[in-house]
Amino acid sequence: MTQTTHTQATPAGGAERPRSPEFRLAADALRGLRQELFHDAFAYRPLPRAKADGRLARRSERVREGASWTPHVTVTGLGLLAMLIGVSTTSRPGPFALLCGVLALGPVLLTLVRPVGAFWVSLAATTITSVVGGASGFDWPWAPGSFLSHLTVLTVVALRTHPRVAAWMWAVTAAYGFVSESFGFGHLDTDVAQMLLLSALILLAVTVRHVRTQARREVTAQQTVTEVERSRRTLLEERTTIARELHDVVAHHMSVVAIQAEAAPYRVENPPPELEKAFATIRENAVAALTELRRVLGVVRAEDYEAPDAPQPTLADLDGLLANVREAGLEAEKAVTGAVRELPQGVELSAYRIVQEALSNTLRHAPGARARVEIGYVLGGLGLRVVNGPPPAPALIKPSPGAGHGITGMRERVTMLNGEMTAGPAPDGGYEVTVFLPVPADTAVEDAA
């Protein structure tokens, strides 16, 4: 016996039938309405206290404490005003008037802790007030107190949420008003148009405020990122400059080692083979190290970078530097203390660059001021102090921020040599840079030898 299984195809138009654009648009709209106004509508979201940053707030702790409650006091005041209007305008005195006042105050106060839920409570309170308060004439469906209360609720909730919530609240308010108009028999007119017009203007202003705040926040974040990237780029540029200079210094010393190792056997008559082999090994290692150094550090050179023909500057060249800045209009003097001695070339180069950058900053930021360069040779290293006085006419100085490399470059050089540095305003209104570069005594003696 043979069994045959029949497979029935899914008919066209079944569960997998594509939806029309209109259907998808309506479904998205209902999903947005449910997400914004129904999902956790009565969640507890207390209104945060304001930040008091005014001049008076910075001077007094009591003023700062009171100013932080300004939003809560403002909302409560509007609620009490709506309550007074509700009590005074109702046509039914006694308990009904008090109930109308409470129904106007309640939704406003609820915005302080449950903002979205306050919107629904405001619509319910409006309905109860219209029935209990005996609204007549033009006060349908919003009595005067309920009118102010609902506008306040819309404004506070829109301020505390985002523009989508404001749009949905306005749409629901419009739908509520149009439905209420159909039940407004016996009324000369309604105040639905006034409510929709005023609420639209208020919510539009709140939306513009949200957009401006968001734009300002994004600009601030972008500026922060840009500043961080600029600082990082400046740091990398300074490290690249230092690496280039040290490459030239180290390459010079390694070349000298290789040449001396090669020439040393010829200075001694009949040197032993072991000595010749040792010098040959020294030369080979020096040449290999020099090759690797150029290969590794050569990547930091720019394509248009050319090694300087002259040797790197040292502290002995400071007189020429001071002469140049004097020609530029800066009155600079130099004072040297301690026993002057030759230091490692890296220390000499870094000290020269630090003094050069400090004097350049003086020319840029304090034109016309006097500068003093102090150099102290001590047992443990080298001390530098570059200080300038205040500019004679600070009001006439034009902003000159420069490339932002000055202090960063100094700190990089000091850090590279395990030194210490302080930079900041001087007591007399000028600026002071103090640096200490440690130099072991045996290193200085060997270099001098």
Side-chain angles (χ1 to χ4, degrees):
M1 179 180 296
T2 303
Q3 294 182 354
T4 304
T5 302
H6 298 279
T7 302
Q8 184 176 1
T10 302
E16 300 298 329
R17 182 178 60 185
R19 302 295 186 181
S20 64
E22 292 80 5
F23 180 85
R24 290 197 300 270
L25 182 62
D28 292 341
L30 292 177
R31 189 181 303 110
L33 175 63
R34 183 173 64 254
Q35 180 67 26
E36 303 295 348
L37 293 185
F38 288 95
H39 182 67
D40 287 340
F42 287 88
Y44 181 69
R45 300 186 183 95
L47 178 66
R49 294 166 62 177
K51 295 181 179 180
D53 297 330
R55 182 179 302 177
L56 294 178
R58 288 193 295 266
R59 294 181 178 178
S60 173
E61 182 67 26
R62 182 176 300 178
V63 173
R64 186 185 303 111
E65 180 71 17
S68 63
W69 292 103
T70 300
H72 304 75
V73 174
T74 302
V75 173
T76 304
L78 290 174
L80 293 175
L81 178 60
M83 178 180 179
L84 292 176
I85 295 176
V87 171
S88 61
T89 57
T90 182
S91 59
R92 296 183 181 180
F96 295 102
L98 181 60
L99 177 60
C100 292
V102 172
L103 291 175
L105 174 64
V108 177
L109 296 181
L110 192 60
T111 59
L112 299 176
V113 289
R114 307 182 190 277
V116 179
F119 170 73
W120 296 110
V121 172
S122 178
L123 292 180
T126 297
T127 304
I128 298 175
T129 302
S130 299
V131 175
V132 174
S136 60
F138 297 95
D139 301 332
W140 180 267
W142 283 281
S146 299
F147 193 94
L148 177 59
S149 175
H150 193 66
L151 279 179
T152 304
V153 169
L154 290 177
T155 304
V156 176
V157 177
L159 287 171
R160 296 198 57 192
T161 54
H162 47 79
R164 289 195 305 272
V165 176
W168 279 118
M169 288 192 303
W170 188 87
V172 172
T173 300
Y176 174 84
F178 293 147
V179 171
S180 300
E181 281 185 334
S182 61
F183 295 97
F185 303 108
H187 297 277
L188 300 177
D189 200 353
T190 64
D191 50 7
V192 175
Q194 293 90 324
M195 171 60 73
L196 296 183
L197 179 61
L198 287 177
S199 61
L201 293 176
I202 294 175
L203 295 181
L204 179 61
V206 172
T207 301
V208 171
R209 179 180 180 274
H210 274 300
V211 172
R212 291 188 58 186
T213 302
Q214 182 64 25
R216 189 182 300 111
R217 189 179 298 114
E218 292 177 357
V219 169
T220 302
Q222 186 62 37
Q223 289 177 345
T224 303
V225 173
T226 302
E227 184 64 26
V228 172
E229 292 297 328
R230 185 184 297 112
S231 300
R232 185 178 304 171
R233 184 174 64 252
T234 299
L235 185 62
L236 292 177
E237 290 176 357
E238 285 302 312
R239 289 181 177 178
T240 301
T241 302
I242 296 172
R244 291 171 181 169
E245 295 178 348
L246 291 182
H247 171 271
D248 299 332
V249 172
V250 176
H252 169 72
H253 285 293
M254 294 302 295
S255 299
V256 172
V257 170
I259 294 173
Q260 290 180 346
E262 184 177 7
Y266 300 101
R267 298 182 179 181
V268 181
E269 294 183 1
N270 301 320
E274 294 81 1
L275 183 60
E276 291 183 353
K277 184 178 179 180
F279 278 119
T281 302
I282 293 174
R283 181 183 182 281
E284 291 175 359
N285 290 333
V287 172
L290 183 60
T291 302
E292 291 299 324
L293 177 67
R294 287 173 175 169
R295 182 181 303 167
V296 174
L297 295 183
V299 298
V300 302
R301 296 187 184 273
E303 295 180 358
D304 57 348
Y305 176 78
E306 297 181 358
D309 297 332
Q312 295 290 355
T314 63
L315 290 176
D317 302 312
L318 275 183
D319 291 335
L321 175 62
L322 294 177
N324 289 334
V325 298
R326 292 190 187 103
E327 292 179 359
L330 176 65
E331 297 184 15
E333 58 181 3
K334 183 181 74 170
V336 180
T337 58
V340 179
R341 65 185 185 276
E342 185 178 354
L343 301 175
Q345 192 167 357
V347 176
E348 295 261 355
L349 172 62
S350 296
Y352 179 90
R353 295 301 187 197
I354 290 172
V355 174
Q356 182 183 40
E357 187 59 43
L359 294 177
S360 298
N361 288 341
T362 302
L363 283 171
R364 185 182 303 114
H365 300 288
R370 298 176 59 90
R372 178 179 175 85
V373 179
E374 299 177 1
I375 303 173
Y377 290 87
V378 296
L379 184 60
L382 177 70
L384 297 175
R385 181 174 179 265
V386 183
V387 59
N388 63 266
L396 301 179
I397 298 177
K398 298 181 180 179
S400 180
H405 296 188
I407 300 298
T408 302
M410 295 182 195
R411 294 193 185 281
E412 280 297 300
R413 294 181 184 275
V414 173
T415 302
M416 177 188 63
L417 298 173
N418 297 322
E420 299 178 358
M421 170 181 168
T422 58
D428 60 351
Y431 200 82
E432 179 179 351
V433 176
T434 306
V435 175
F436 176 75
L437 303 177
V439 179
D442 53 351
T443 303
V445 171
E446 290 176 3
D447 273 40

